[in-house]
PDB file of all heavy atoms in Angstrom:
ATOM      1  N   SER A   1     161.844  31.672  18.642  1.00  0.00           N
ATOM      2  CA  SER A   1     162.358  32.104  19.929  1.00  0.00           C
ATOM      3  C   SER A   1     163.427  33.178  19.771  1.00  0.00           C
ATOM      4  O   SER A   1     164.094  33.266  18.736  1.00  0.00           O
ATOM      5  CB  SER A   1     162.916  30.918  20.706  1.00  0.00           C
ATOM      6  OG  SER A   1     164.052  30.387  20.062  1.00  0.00           O
ATOM      7  N   ILE A   2     163.601  33.974  20.815  1.00  0.00           N
ATOM      8  CA  ILE A   2     164.608  35.020  20.857  1.00  0.00           C
ATOM      9  C   ILE A   2     165.470  34.809  22.085  1.00  0.00           C
ATOM     10  O   ILE A   2     164.962  34.581  23.178  1.00  0.00           O
ATOM     11  CB  ILE A   2     163.981  36.420  20.896  1.00  0.00           C
ATOM     12  CG1 ILE A   2     163.107  36.656  19.663  1.00  0.00           C
ATOM     13  CG2 ILE A   2     165.060  37.490  20.990  1.00  0.00           C
ATOM     14  CD1 ILE A   2     162.350  37.959  19.696  1.00  0.00           C
ATOM     15  N   PHE A   3     166.776  34.875  21.895  1.00  0.00           N
ATOM     16  CA  PHE A   3     167.679  34.692  23.013  1.00  0.00           C
ATOM     17  C   PHE A   3     168.904  35.579  22.846  1.00  0.00           C
ATOM     18  O   PHE A   3     169.250  35.993  21.743  1.00  0.00           O
ATOM     19  CB  PHE A   3     168.093  33.218  23.158  1.00  0.00           C
ATOM     20  CG  PHE A   3     168.805  32.657  21.960  1.00  0.00           C
ATOM     21  CD1 PHE A   3     170.180  32.670  21.880  1.00  0.00           C
ATOM     22  CD2 PHE A   3     168.087  32.117  20.907  1.00  0.00           C
ATOM     23  CE1 PHE A   3     170.840  32.152  20.784  1.00  0.00           C
ATOM     24  CE2 PHE A   3     168.736  31.590  19.799  1.00  0.00           C
ATOM     25  CZ  PHE A   3     170.109  31.613  19.734  1.00  0.00           C
ATOM     26  N   SER A   4     169.558  35.844  23.970  1.00  0.00           N
ATOM     27  CA  SER A   4     170.755  36.681  23.996  1.00  0.00           C
ATOM     28  C   SER A   4     171.890  35.888  24.623  1.00  0.00           C
ATOM     29  O   SER A   4     171.729  35.300  25.690  1.00  0.00           O
ATOM     30  CB  SER A   4     170.508  37.958  24.787  1.00  0.00           C
ATOM     31  OG  SER A   4     171.671  38.756  24.857  1.00  0.00           O
ATOM     32  N   ILE A   5     173.034  35.878  23.960  1.00  0.00           N
ATOM     33  CA  ILE A   5     174.189  35.136  24.433  1.00  0.00           C
ATOM     34  C   ILE A   5     175.251  36.103  24.929  1.00  0.00           C
ATOM     35  O   ILE A   5     175.629  37.042  24.230  1.00  0.00           O
ATOM     36  CB  ILE A   5     174.772  34.241  23.327  1.00  0.00           C
ATOM     37  CG1 ILE A   5     173.738  33.214  22.869  1.00  0.00           C
ATOM     38  CG2 ILE A   5     176.042  33.551  23.808  1.00  0.00           C
ATOM     39  CD1 ILE A   5     174.211  32.334  21.745  1.00  0.00           C
ATOM     40  N   ASN A   6     175.704  35.877  26.136  1.00  0.00           N
ATOM     41  CA  ASN A   6     176.792  36.651  26.699  1.00  0.00           C
ATOM     42  C   ASN A   6     178.125  36.025  26.263  1.00  0.00           C
ATOM     43  O   ASN A   6     178.621  36.297  25.178  1.00  0.00           O
ATOM     44  CB  ASN A   6     176.671  36.715  28.215  1.00  0.00           C
ATOM     45  CG  ASN A   6     177.675  37.661  28.831  1.00  0.00           C
ATOM     46  OD1 ASN A   6     178.542  38.217  28.154  1.00  0.00           O
ATOM     47  ND2 ASN A   6     177.582  37.844  30.146  1.00  0.00           N
ATOM     48  N   ALA A   7     178.677  35.169  27.094  1.00  0.00           N
ATOM     49  CA  ALA A   7     179.941  34.538  26.768  1.00  0.00           C
ATOM     50  C   ALA A   7     179.721  33.188  26.091  1.00  0.00           C
ATOM     51  O   ALA A   7     178.728  32.498  26.352  1.00  0.00           O
ATOM     52  CB  ALA A   7     180.786  34.359  28.025  1.00  0.00           C
ATOM     53  N   MET A   8     180.639  32.817  25.233  1.00  0.00           N
ATOM     54  CA  MET A   8     180.680  31.488  24.647  1.00  0.00           C
ATOM     55  C   MET A   8     182.086  30.941  24.826  1.00  0.00           C
ATOM     56  O   MET A   8     183.057  31.705  24.825  1.00  0.00           O
ATOM     57  CB  MET A   8     180.306  31.501  23.168  1.00  0.00           C
ATOM     58  CG  MET A   8     178.895  31.961  22.881  1.00  0.00           C
ATOM     59  SD  MET A   8     178.426  31.747  21.139  1.00  0.00           S
ATOM     60  CE  MET A   8     178.165  29.961  21.079  1.00  0.00           C
ATOM     61  N   GLY A   9     182.178  29.640  24.978  1.00  0.00           N
ATOM     62  CA  GLY A   9     183.486  29.068  25.191  1.00  0.00           C
ATOM     63  C   GLY A   9     183.560  27.598  24.868  1.00  0.00           C
ATOM     64  O   GLY A   9     182.570  26.963  24.493  1.00  0.00           O
ATOM     65  N   TRP A  10     184.776  27.094  25.005  1.00  0.00           N
ATOM     66  CA  TRP A  10     185.061  25.693  24.754  1.00  0.00           C
ATOM     67  C   TRP A  10     185.685  25.064  25.984  1.00  0.00           C
ATOM     68  O   TRP A  10     186.566  25.652  26.625  1.00  0.00           O
ATOM     69  CB  TRP A  10     186.024  25.527  23.569  1.00  0.00           C
ATOM     70  CG  TRP A  10     185.420  25.910  22.255  1.00  0.00           C
ATOM     71  CD1 TRP A  10     185.471  27.116  21.634  1.00  0.00           C
ATOM     72  CD2 TRP A  10     184.663  25.052  21.388  1.00  0.00           C
ATOM     73  NE1 TRP A  10     184.796  27.078  20.439  1.00  0.00           N
ATOM     74  CE2 TRP A  10     184.288  25.825  20.264  1.00  0.00           C
ATOM     75  CE3 TRP A  10     184.269  23.723  21.455  1.00  0.00           C
ATOM     76  CZ2 TRP A  10     183.541  25.294  19.210  1.00  0.00           C
ATOM     77  CZ3 TRP A  10     183.520  23.199  20.416  1.00  0.00           C
ATOM     78  CH2 TRP A  10     183.173  23.983  19.305  1.00  0.00           C
ATOM     79  N   TYR A  11     185.222  23.868  26.295  1.00  0.00           N
ATOM     80  CA  TYR A  11     185.771  23.049  27.361  1.00  0.00           C
ATOM     81  C   TYR A  11     186.141  21.704  26.772  1.00  0.00           C
ATOM     82  O   TYR A  11     185.676  21.339  25.689  1.00  0.00           O
ATOM     83  CB  TYR A  11     184.763  22.869  28.491  1.00  0.00           C
ATOM     84  CG  TYR A  11     184.450  24.133  29.261  1.00  0.00           C
ATOM     85  CD1 TYR A  11     183.715  25.163  28.681  1.00  0.00           C
ATOM     86  CD2 TYR A  11     184.886  24.297  30.572  1.00  0.00           C
ATOM     87  CE1 TYR A  11     183.429  26.326  29.382  1.00  0.00           C
ATOM     88  CE2 TYR A  11     184.596  25.448  31.283  1.00  0.00           C
ATOM     89  CZ  TYR A  11     183.872  26.456  30.683  1.00  0.00           C
ATOM     90  OH  TYR A  11     183.590  27.600  31.387  1.00  0.00           O
ATOM     91  N   ARG A  12     186.977  20.965  27.480  1.00  0.00           N
ATOM     92  CA  ARG A  12     187.327  19.635  27.010  1.00  0.00           C
ATOM     93  C   ARG A  12     187.473  18.690  28.186  1.00  0.00           C
ATOM     94  O   ARG A  12     187.761  19.094  29.305  1.00  0.00           O
ATOM     95  CB  ARG A  12     188.618  19.656  26.190  1.00  0.00           C
ATOM     96  CG  ARG A  12     189.875  19.993  26.975  1.00  0.00           C
ATOM     97  CD  ARG A  12     191.077  20.113  26.048  1.00  0.00           C
ATOM     98  NE  ARG A  12     192.310  20.406  26.757  1.00  0.00           N
ATOM     99  CZ  ARG A  12     193.465  20.690  26.177  1.00  0.00           C
ATOM    100  NH1 ARG A  12     193.552  20.711  24.845  1.00  0.00           N
ATOM    101  NH2 ARG A  12     194.535  20.945  26.913  1.00  0.00           N
ATOM    102  N   GLN A  13     187.266  17.415  27.903  1.00  0.00           N
ATOM    103  CA  GLN A  13     187.403  16.384  28.913  1.00  0.00           C
ATOM    104  C   GLN A  13     188.123  15.191  28.304  1.00  0.00           C
ATOM    105  O   GLN A  13     187.613  14.553  27.381  1.00  0.00           O
ATOM    106  CB  GLN A  13     186.049  15.967  29.471  1.00  0.00           C
ATOM    107  CG  GLN A  13     186.142  15.006  30.642  1.00  0.00           C
ATOM    108  CD  GLN A  13     184.833  14.850  31.381  1.00  0.00           C
ATOM    109  OE1 GLN A  13     183.769  15.173  30.853  1.00  0.00           O
ATOM    110  NE2 GLN A  13     184.895  14.373  32.602  1.00  0.00           N
ATOM    111  N   ALA A  14     189.305  14.919  28.814  1.00  0.00           N
ATOM    112  CA  ALA A  14     190.083  13.775  28.381  1.00  0.00           C
ATOM    113  C   ALA A  14     189.740  12.572  29.245  1.00  0.00           C
ATOM    114  O   ALA A  14     189.263  12.725  30.373  1.00  0.00           O
ATOM    115  CB  ALA A  14     191.576  14.087  28.468  1.00  0.00           C
ATOM    116  N   PRO A  15     189.982  11.367  28.736  1.00  0.00           N
ATOM    117  CA  PRO A  15     189.695  10.169  29.530  1.00  0.00           C
ATOM    118  C   PRO A  15     190.399  10.198  30.876  1.00  0.00           C
ATOM    119  O   PRO A  15     191.603  10.444  30.963  1.00  0.00           O
ATOM    120  CB  PRO A  15     190.226   9.030  28.647  1.00  0.00           C
ATOM    121  CG  PRO A  15     190.157   9.571  27.257  1.00  0.00           C
ATOM    122  CD  PRO A  15     190.483  11.032  27.392  1.00  0.00           C
ATOM    123  N   GLY A  16     189.649   9.968  31.936  1.00  0.00           N
ATOM    124  CA  GLY A  16     190.207   9.937  33.271  1.00  0.00           C
ATOM    125  C   GLY A  16     190.489  11.291  33.879  1.00  0.00           C
ATOM    126  O   GLY A  16     191.055  11.354  34.979  1.00  0.00           O
ATOM    127  N   LYS A  17     190.117  12.367  33.203  1.00  0.00           N
ATOM    128  CA  LYS A  17     190.376  13.703  33.704  1.00  0.00           C
ATOM    129  C   LYS A  17     189.084  14.494  33.851  1.00  0.00           C
ATOM    130  O   LYS A  17     188.053  14.149  33.292  1.00  0.00           O
ATOM    131  CB  LYS A  17     191.333  14.459  32.781  1.00  0.00           C
ATOM    132  CG  LYS A  17     192.737  13.889  32.715  1.00  0.00           C
ATOM    133  CD  LYS A  17     193.644  14.781  31.884  1.00  0.00           C
ATOM    134  CE  LYS A  17     195.067  14.272  31.874  1.00  0.00           C
ATOM    135  NZ  LYS A  17     195.953  15.166  31.079  1.00  0.00           N
ATOM    136  N   GLN A  18     189.159  15.571  34.630  1.00  0.00           N
ATOM    137  CA  GLN A  18     188.034  16.471  34.798  1.00  0.00           C
ATOM    138  C   GLN A  18     187.859  17.343  33.557  1.00  0.00           C
ATOM    139  O   GLN A  18     188.811  17.584  32.815  1.00  0.00           O
ATOM    140  CB  GLN A  18     188.230  17.361  36.023  1.00  0.00           C
ATOM    141  CG  GLN A  18     188.330  16.621  37.345  1.00  0.00           C
ATOM    142  CD  GLN A  18     188.537  17.571  38.514  1.00  0.00           C
ATOM    143  OE1 GLN A  18     188.606  18.786  38.335  1.00  0.00           O
ATOM    144  NE2 GLN A  18     188.626  17.026  39.698  1.00  0.00           N
ATOM    145  N   ARG A  19     186.637  17.810  33.364  1.00  0.00           N
ATOM    146  CA  ARG A  19     186.403  18.756  32.296  1.00  0.00           C
ATOM    147  C   ARG A  19     187.083  20.076  32.636  1.00  0.00           C
ATOM    148  O   ARG A  19     186.987  20.575  33.764  1.00  0.00           O
ATOM    149  CB  ARG A  19     184.897  18.969  32.089  1.00  0.00           C
ATOM    150  CG  ARG A  19     184.557  19.834  30.896  1.00  0.00           C
ATOM    151  CD  ARG A  19     183.050  19.874  30.648  1.00  0.00           C
ATOM    152  NE  ARG A  19     182.505  18.559  30.370  1.00  0.00           N
ATOM    153  CZ  ARG A  19     181.249  18.331  30.023  1.00  0.00           C
ATOM    154  NH1 ARG A  19     180.401  19.343  29.902  1.00  0.00           N
ATOM    155  NH2 ARG A  19     180.833  17.091  29.804  1.00  0.00           N
ATOM    156  N   GLU A  20     187.782  20.654  31.678  1.00  0.00           N
ATOM    157  CA  GLU A  20     188.528  21.872  31.907  1.00  0.00           C
ATOM    158  C   GLU A  20     188.209  22.921  30.849  1.00  0.00           C
ATOM    159  O   GLU A  20     187.852  22.601  29.716  1.00  0.00           O
ATOM    160  CB  GLU A  20     190.037  21.594  31.909  1.00  0.00           C
ATOM    161  CG  GLU A  20     190.573  21.104  30.574  1.00  0.00           C
ATOM    162  CD  GLU A  20     192.076  20.934  30.557  1.00  0.00           C
ATOM    163  OE1 GLU A  20     192.742  21.369  31.515  1.00  0.00           O
ATOM    164  OE2 GLU A  20     192.598  20.371  29.570  1.00  0.00           O
ATOM    165  N   LEU A  21     188.365  24.164  31.244  1.00  0.00           N
ATOM    166  CA  LEU A  21     188.157  25.264  30.317  1.00  0.00           C
ATOM    167  C   LEU A  21     189.321  25.337  29.334  1.00  0.00           C
ATOM    168  O   LEU A  21     190.480  25.244  29.725  1.00  0.00           O
ATOM    169  CB  LEU A  21     188.020  26.585  31.073  1.00  0.00           C
ATOM    170  CG  LEU A  21     187.740  27.828  30.224  1.00  0.00           C
ATOM    171  CD1 LEU A  21     186.819  28.784  30.967  1.00  0.00           C
ATOM    172  CD2 LEU A  21     189.036  28.552  29.872  1.00  0.00           C
ATOM    173  N   VAL A  22     188.995  25.513  28.068  1.00  0.00           N
ATOM    174  CA  VAL A  22     189.994  25.681  27.023  1.00  0.00           C
ATOM    175  C   VAL A  22     190.108  27.150  26.643  1.00  0.00           C
ATOM    176  O   VAL A  22     191.190  27.727  26.653  1.00  0.00           O
ATOM    177  CB  VAL A  22     189.667  24.835  25.778  1.00  0.00           C
ATOM    178  CG1 VAL A  22     190.696  25.083  24.674  1.00  0.00           C
ATOM    179  CG2 VAL A  22     189.615  23.357  26.145  1.00  0.00           C
ATOM    180  N   ALA A  23     188.988  27.757  26.291  1.00  0.00           N
ATOM    181  CA  ALA A  23     188.970  29.152  25.887  1.00  0.00           C
ATOM    182  C   ALA A  23     187.566  29.697  25.972  1.00  0.00           C
ATOM    183  O   ALA A  23     186.598  28.981  25.756  1.00  0.00           O
ATOM    184  CB  ALA A  23     189.507  29.314  24.455  1.00  0.00           C
ATOM    185  N   THR A  24     187.446  30.975  26.300  1.00  0.00           N
ATOM    186  CA  THR A  24     186.159  31.657  26.314  1.00  0.00           C
ATOM    187  C   THR A  24     186.289  32.993  25.594  1.00  0.00           C
ATOM    188  O   THR A  24     187.371  33.583  25.540  1.00  0.00           O
ATOM    189  CB  THR A  24     185.626  31.902  27.735  1.00  0.00           C
ATOM    190  OG1 THR A  24     186.540  32.738  28.453  1.00  0.00           O
ATOM    191  CG2 THR A  24     185.435  30.591  28.478  1.00  0.00           C
ATOM    192  N   ARG A  25     185.160  33.456  25.088  1.00  0.00           N
ATOM    193  CA  ARG A  25     185.122  34.756  24.429  1.00  0.00           C
ATOM    194  C   ARG A  25     183.829  35.469  24.823  1.00  0.00           C
ATOM    195  O   ARG A  25     182.741  34.932  24.646  1.00  0.00           O
ATOM    196  CB  ARG A  25     185.205  34.627  22.916  1.00  0.00           C
ATOM    197  CG  ARG A  25     185.358  35.964  22.193  1.00  0.00           C
ATOM    198  CD  ARG A  25     185.584  35.765  20.708  1.00  0.00           C
ATOM    199  NE  ARG A  25     185.745  37.026  20.006  1.00  0.00           N
ATOM    200  CZ  ARG A  25     186.909  37.629  19.797  1.00  0.00           C
ATOM    201  NH1 ARG A  25     188.034  37.057  20.232  1.00  0.00           N
ATOM    202  NH2 ARG A  25     186.967  38.779  19.156  1.00  0.00           N
ATOM    203  N   GLY A  26     183.974  36.666  25.374  1.00  0.00           N
ATOM    204  CA  GLY A  26     182.826  37.438  25.770  1.00  0.00           C
ATOM    205  C   GLY A  26     182.205  38.172  24.605  1.00  0.00           C
ATOM    206  O   GLY A  26     182.770  38.247  23.508  1.00  0.00           O
ATOM    207  N   SER A  27     181.035  38.720  24.835  1.00  0.00           N
ATOM    208  CA  SER A  27     180.355  39.472  23.792  1.00  0.00           C
ATOM    209  C   SER A  27     181.108  40.741  23.420  1.00  0.00           C
ATOM    210  O   SER A  27     180.910  41.272  22.320  1.00  0.00           O
ATOM    211  CB  SER A  27     178.931  39.827  24.229  1.00  0.00           C
ATOM    212  OG  SER A  27     178.935  40.602  25.412  1.00  0.00           O
ATOM    213  N   ASP A  28     181.972  41.225  24.317  1.00  0.00           N
ATOM    214  CA  ASP A  28     182.775  42.410  24.040  1.00  0.00           C
ATOM    215  C   ASP A  28     184.088  42.085  23.338  1.00  0.00           C
ATOM    216  O   ASP A  28     184.897  42.984  23.102  1.00  0.00           O
ATOM    217  CB  ASP A  28     183.064  43.173  25.335  1.00  0.00           C
ATOM    218  CG  ASP A  28     183.838  42.349  26.348  1.00  0.00           C
ATOM    219  OD1 ASP A  28     184.073  41.153  26.096  1.00  0.00           O
ATOM    220  OD2 ASP A  28     184.208  42.904  27.402  1.00  0.00           O
ATOM    221  N   GLY A  29     184.314  40.820  23.026  1.00  0.00           N
ATOM    222  CA  GLY A  29     185.518  40.414  22.335  1.00  0.00           C
ATOM    223  C   GLY A  29     186.652  39.977  23.233  1.00  0.00           C
ATOM    224  O   GLY A  29     187.700  39.545  22.724  1.00  0.00           O
ATOM    225  N   SER A  30     186.484  40.071  24.523  1.00  0.00           N
ATOM    226  CA  SER A  30     187.524  39.639  25.450  1.00  0.00           C
ATOM    227  C   SER A  30     187.692  38.130  25.378  1.00  0.00           C
ATOM    228  O   SER A  30     186.723  37.398  25.130  1.00  0.00           O
ATOM    229  CB  SER A  30     187.195  40.070  26.869  1.00  0.00           C
ATOM    230  OG  SER A  30     185.976  39.492  27.303  1.00  0.00           O
ATOM    231  N   THR A  31     188.912  37.671  25.598  1.00  0.00           N
ATOM    232  CA  THR A  31     189.208  36.245  25.504  1.00  0.00           C
ATOM    233  C   THR A  31     189.987  35.774  26.716  1.00  0.00           C
ATOM    234  O   THR A  31     190.675  36.550  27.383  1.00  0.00           O
ATOM    235  CB  THR A  31     190.010  35.916  24.245  1.00  0.00           C
ATOM    236  OG1 THR A  31     191.236  36.660  24.246  1.00  0.00           O
ATOM    237  CG2 THR A  31     189.214  36.262  22.999  1.00  0.00           C
ATOM    238  N   LEU A  32     189.863  34.492  26.981  1.00  0.00           N
ATOM    239  CA  LEU A  32     190.602  33.851  28.057  1.00  0.00           C
ATOM    240  C   LEU A  32     190.996  32.465  27.576  1.00  0.00           C
ATOM    241  O   LEU A  32     190.152  31.720  27.062  1.00  0.00           O
ATOM    242  CB  LEU A  32     189.754  33.753  29.326  1.00  0.00           C
ATOM    243  CG  LEU A  32     190.373  33.009  30.513  1.00  0.00           C
ATOM    244  CD1 LEU A  32     191.582  33.771  31.037  1.00  0.00           C
ATOM    245  CD2 LEU A  32     189.345  32.815  31.611  1.00  0.00           C
ATOM    246  N   TYR A  33     192.270  32.114  27.736  1.00  0.00           N
ATOM    247  CA  TYR A  33     192.776  30.832  27.298  1.00  0.00           C
ATOM    248  C   TYR A  33     193.426  30.085  28.440  1.00  0.00           C
ATOM    249  O   TYR A  33     194.051  30.684  29.323  1.00  0.00           O
ATOM    250  CB  TYR A  33     193.821  30.998  26.191  1.00  0.00           C
ATOM    251  CG  TYR A  33     193.290  31.551  24.894  1.00  0.00           C
ATOM    252  CD1 TYR A  33     193.309  32.915  24.643  1.00  0.00           C
ATOM    253  CD2 TYR A  33     192.789  30.703  23.908  1.00  0.00           C
ATOM    254  CE1 TYR A  33     192.832  33.431  23.448  1.00  0.00           C
ATOM    255  CE2 TYR A  33     192.311  31.211  22.721  1.00  0.00           C
ATOM    256  CZ  TYR A  33     192.336  32.572  22.488  1.00  0.00           C
ATOM    257  OH  TYR A  33     191.865  33.081  21.296  1.00  0.00           O
ATOM    258  N   ALA A  34     193.297  28.772  28.404  1.00  0.00           N
ATOM    259  CA  ALA A  34     194.069  27.949  29.308  1.00  0.00           C
ATOM    260  C   ALA A  34     195.547  28.053  28.951  1.00  0.00           C
ATOM    261  O   ALA A  34     195.904  28.188  27.773  1.00  0.00           O
ATOM    262  CB  ALA A  34     193.618  26.493  29.220  1.00  0.00           C
TER     263      ALA A  34
END
């Protein structure tokens, strides 16, 4: 198979809490952090 990935990131979910974004990184190298 062949696939293309745009952004990749990490999320986390603690007990009793909602899943939240931790960090993302775009294909252009841009980043976003909690």
Side-chain angles (χ1 to χ4, degrees):
S1 66
I2 300 174
F3 60 93
S4 178
I5 299 177
N6 187 355
M8 297 188 75
W10 292 93
Y11 293 70
R12 67 185 181 187
Q13 187 167 19
K17 294 186 177 181
Q18 298 180 0
R19 186 173 299 185
E20 64 175 350
L21 182 144
V22 177
T24 61
R25 188 174 181 91
S27 59
D28 61 355
S30 61
T31 58
L32 176 66
Y33 294 92

